[in-house]
Coordinates of all heavy atoms in Angstrom, one line a residue:
F76 N 121.9 87.8 105.2 CA 123.1 88.0 104.3 C 124.2 88.7 105.2 O 123.9 89.4 106.1 CB 122.8 88.8 103.1 CG 122.0 88.0 102.0 CD1 120.6 87.9 102.2 CD2 122.6 87.5 100.9 CE1 119.9 87.2 101.2 CE2 121.9 86.8 100.0 CZ 120.5 86.7 100.1
N100 N 118.5 102.6 106.0 CA 117.4 102.9 105.0 C 117.5 102.2 103.7 O 117.0 102.6 102.7 CB 117.2 104.4 104.9 CG 116.7 105.1 106.1 OD1 115.7 104.6 106.7 ND2 117.4 106.1 106.5
R101 N 118.2 101.1 103.7 CA 118.3 100.3 102.5 C 117.0 99.5 102.4 O 116.5 98.9 103.3 CB 119.5 99.3 102.6 CG 119.5 98.3 101.4 CD 120.7 97.4 101.6 NE 120.8 96.4 100.5 CZ 121.7 95.5 100.5 NH1 122.7 95.4 101.4 NH2 121.7 94.6 99.5
I102 N 116.4 99.5 101.2 CA 115.1 98.8 101.0 C 115.4 97.3 100.7 O 116.0 97.0 99.6 CB 114.3 99.4 99.8 CG1 114.0 100.9 100.2 CG2 113.0 98.7 99.6 CD1 113.3 101.7 99.0
T103 N 115.0 96.5 101.5 CA 115.2 95.0 101.3 C 114.1 94.2 102.0 O 113.5 94.7 102.9 CB 116.6 94.7 101.8 OG1 116.9 93.3 101.5 CG2 116.7 94.8 103.4
S104 N 113.9 93.0 101.5 CA 112.9 92.2 102.0 C 113.0 91.8 103.4 O 114.2 91.6 103.9 CB 112.8 90.9 101.2 OG 112.7 91.2 99.8
T105 N 111.9 91.7 104.2 CA 111.9 91.5 105.6 C 111.0 90.4 106.0 O 109.9 90.2 105.5 CB 111.5 92.8 106.3 OG1 112.4 93.9 105.9 CG2 111.5 92.7 107.8
F118 N 105.8 90.3 106.4 CA 106.6 90.0 105.2 C 106.6 91.3 104.4 O 105.5 91.9 104.2 CB 106.0 88.8 104.4 CG 106.0 87.5 105.2 CD1 104.9 87.1 105.9 CD2 107.1 86.7 105.2 CE1 104.9 85.9 106.6 CE2 107.1 85.5 105.9 CZ 106.0 85.1 106.6
G119 N 107.7 91.6 103.8 CA 107.8 92.8 102.9 C 108.8 93.8 103.3 O 110.0 93.4 103.5
Y120 N 108.5 95.1 103.3 CA 109.4 96.1 103.5 C 109.1 97.0 104.7 O 107.9 97.3 104.9 CB 109.5 97.0 102.2 CG 109.8 96.2 101.0 CD1 108.8 96.1 100.0 CD2 111.0 95.6 100.9 CE1 109.1 95.4 98.8 CE2 111.3 94.8 99.7 CZ 110.3 94.7 98.7 OH 110.6 94.0 97.6
Q136 N 116.4 90.5 107.6 CA 116.2 90.9 106.2 C 116.9 90.1 105.3 O 118.1 89.6 105.5 CB 116.6 92.4 106.0 CG 115.6 93.3 106.8 CD 115.8 94.8 106.5 OE1 117.0 95.3 106.4 NE2 114.7 95.6 106.4
G137 N 116.3 89.7 104.2 CA 116.9 88.9 103.1 C 117.1 89.7 101.9 O 117.5 90.9 101.9
R138 N 116.9 89.1 100.7 CA 117.0 89.8 99.5 C 116.1 89.1 98.5 O 116.3 87.9 98.1 CB 118.4 89.7 99.0 CG 118.7 90.6 97.7 CD 120.2 90.5 97.4 NE 121.0 91.1 98.4 CZ 122.3 91.0 98.5 NH1 122.9 90.2 97.6 NH2 123.0 91.5 99.5
A139 N 115.0 89.7 98.1 CA 114.0 89.3 97.1 C 112.8 88.7 97.9 O 112.8 87.7 98.6 CB 114.5 88.2 96.2
W140 N 111.7 89.5 97.7 CA 110.4 89.1 98.2 C 109.8 88.2 97.1 O 109.4 88.6 96.0 CB 109.5 90.3 98.4 CG 108.2 90.0 99.1 CD1 107.7 88.8 99.5 CD2 107.3 91.0 99.6 NE1 106.5 89.0 100.2 CE2 106.2 90.4 100.2 CE3 107.2 92.4 99.4 CZ2 105.1 91.0 100.7 CZ3 106.1 93.1 100.0 CH2 105.1 92.4 100.6
L141 N 109.8 86.9 97.3 CA 109.6 85.9 96.3 C 108.1 85.7 96.0 O 107.7 85.7 94.8 CB 110.1 84.5 96.7 CG 111.6 84.5 96.9 CD1 112.0 83.1 97.4 CD2 112.4 84.8 95.6
V142 N 107.3 85.6 97.1 CA 105.8 85.4 96.9 C 105.1 86.4 97.8 O 105.4 86.6 99.0 CB 105.5 84.0 97.3 CG1 103.9 83.8 97.3 CG2 106.1 82.9 96.5
F148 N 106.4 87.5 93.1 CA 106.7 88.9 93.3 C 108.2 89.2 92.9 O 108.7 90.2 93.3 CB 106.4 89.3 94.7 CG 106.2 90.8 94.9 CD1 105.1 91.5 94.4 CD2 107.1 91.5 95.7 CE1 104.9 92.8 94.6 CE2 106.9 92.9 95.9 CZ 105.8 93.5 95.4
V149 N 108.8 88.3 92.2 CA 110.2 88.4 91.9 C 110.5 89.7 91.1 O 111.4 90.5 91.4 CB 110.8 87.2 91.2 CG1 112.2 87.4 90.8 CG2 110.6 86.0 92.1
N150 N 109.8 89.9 90.0 CA 110.0 91.0 89.1 C 109.8 92.3 89.9 O 110.6 93.3 89.7 CB 109.1 91.0 87.9 CG 109.7 90.1 86.8 OD1 110.9 90.0 86.6 ND2 108.8 89.4 86.1
E151 N 108.7 92.4 90.6 CA 108.4 93.6 91.4 C 109.5 93.9 92.4 O 109.9 95.1 92.6 CB 107.0 93.5 92.0 CG 105.9 93.4 91.1 CD 105.6 92.0 90.5 OE1 106.4 91.1 90.7 OE2 104.5 91.9 89.9
S152 N 109.9 92.9 93.1 CA 110.9 93.1 94.2 C 112.3 93.5 93.6 O 113.0 94.2 94.2 CB 111.0 91.9 95.1 OG 111.6 90.8 94.4
K153 N 112.6 93.0 92.4 CA 113.8 93.4 91.7 C 113.8 94.9 91.5 O 114.8 95.6 91.7 CB 113.9 92.7 90.4 CG 115.2 93.1 89.5 CD 115.2 92.4 88.2 CE 116.4 92.9 87.4 NZ 116.3 94.4 87.0
A154 N 112.7 95.4 91.0 CA 112.6 96.9 90.8 C 112.6 97.7 92.0 O 113.3 98.7 92.1 CB 111.2 97.2 90.0
I155 N 112.1 97.1 93.1 CA 112.1 97.9 94.4 C 113.5 97.8 95.1 O 114.0 98.8 95.6 CB 111.0 97.3 95.3 CG1 109.6 97.6 94.7 CG2 111.1 97.9 96.7 CD1 108.5 96.8 95.4
E156 N 114.0 96.6 95.1 CA 115.3 96.4 95.9 C 116.5 96.6 95.1 O 117.6 96.8 95.6 CB 115.3 94.9 96.4 CG 114.1 94.7 97.4 CD 114.1 93.3 97.9 OE1 115.2 92.8 98.4 OE2 113.1 92.6 97.9
G157 N 116.4 96.5 93.8 CA 117.6 96.9 92.9 C 118.6 95.8 92.8 O 119.8 96.1 92.4
Y158 N 118.3 94.6 93.0 CA 119.3 93.5 92.8 C 119.3 93.2 91.3 O 118.4 93.5 90.5 CB 119.0 92.3 93.6 CG 117.6 91.7 93.6 CD1 117.2 90.9 92.6 CD2 116.7 92.0 94.6 CE1 115.9 90.4 92.5 CE2 115.4 91.5 94.6 CZ 115.0 90.7 93.5 OH 113.8 90.2 93.5
S159 N 120.4 92.5 90.9 CA 120.6 92.3 89.4 C 119.9 91.1 88.9 O 119.5 90.2 89.6 CB 122.1 92.1 89.2 OG 122.6 90.8 89.8
F162 N 121.6 87.8 89.7 CA 121.2 87.3 91.0 C 120.0 86.4 90.9 O 119.9 85.3 91.5 CB 121.0 88.4 92.0 CG 120.6 87.9 93.4 CD1 121.5 87.2 94.2 CD2 119.3 88.1 93.9 CE1 121.2 86.8 95.5 CE2 119.0 87.7 95.1 CZ 119.9 87.0 96.0
L197 N 115.7 82.2 91.2 CA 114.6 82.8 92.0 C 113.2 82.7 91.4 O 112.2 82.6 92.1 CB 115.0 84.3 92.3 CG 116.2 84.5 93.3 CD1 116.3 85.9 93.7 CD2 116.0 83.6 94.6
A212 N 106.5 84.7 101.0 CA 107.9 84.1 101.1 C 109.0 85.1 100.8 O 108.8 85.9 99.8 CB 108.0 82.9 100.3
V213 N 110.0 85.1 101.7 CA 111.2 86.0 101.5 C 112.4 85.1 101.3 O 112.6 84.1 102.1 CB 111.3 87.0 102.6 CG1 112.7 87.6 102.6 CG2 110.2 88.0 102.6
N214 N 113.3 85.5 100.4 CA 114.5 84.8 100.1 C 115.6 85.2 101.1 O 115.9 86.4 101.3 CB 115.0 85.1 98.7 CG 116.3 84.4 98.3 OD1 116.3 83.1 98.3 ND2 117.3 85.1 98.0
L215 N 116.2 84.3 101.9 CA 117.3 84.5 102.8 C 118.6 84.2 102.1 O 118.6 83.8 100.9 CB 117.1 83.8 104.1 CG 115.8 84.2 104.9 CD1 115.7 83.3 106.2 CD2 115.9 85.7 105.3

Side-chain angles (χ1 to χ4, degrees):
F76 285 81
N100 289 313
R101 174 181 178 180
I102 301 175
T103 188
S104 306
T105 301
F118 298 92
Y120 304 116
Q136 293 189 318
R138 187 175 298 164
W140 192 353
L141 300 174
V142 175
F148 200 66
V149 176
N150 278 323
E151 292 84 349
S152 67
K153 175 184 179 296
I155 294 168
E156 299 179 48
Y158 50 81
S159 66
F162 177 70
L197 290 186
V213 166
N214 181 62
L215 294 177

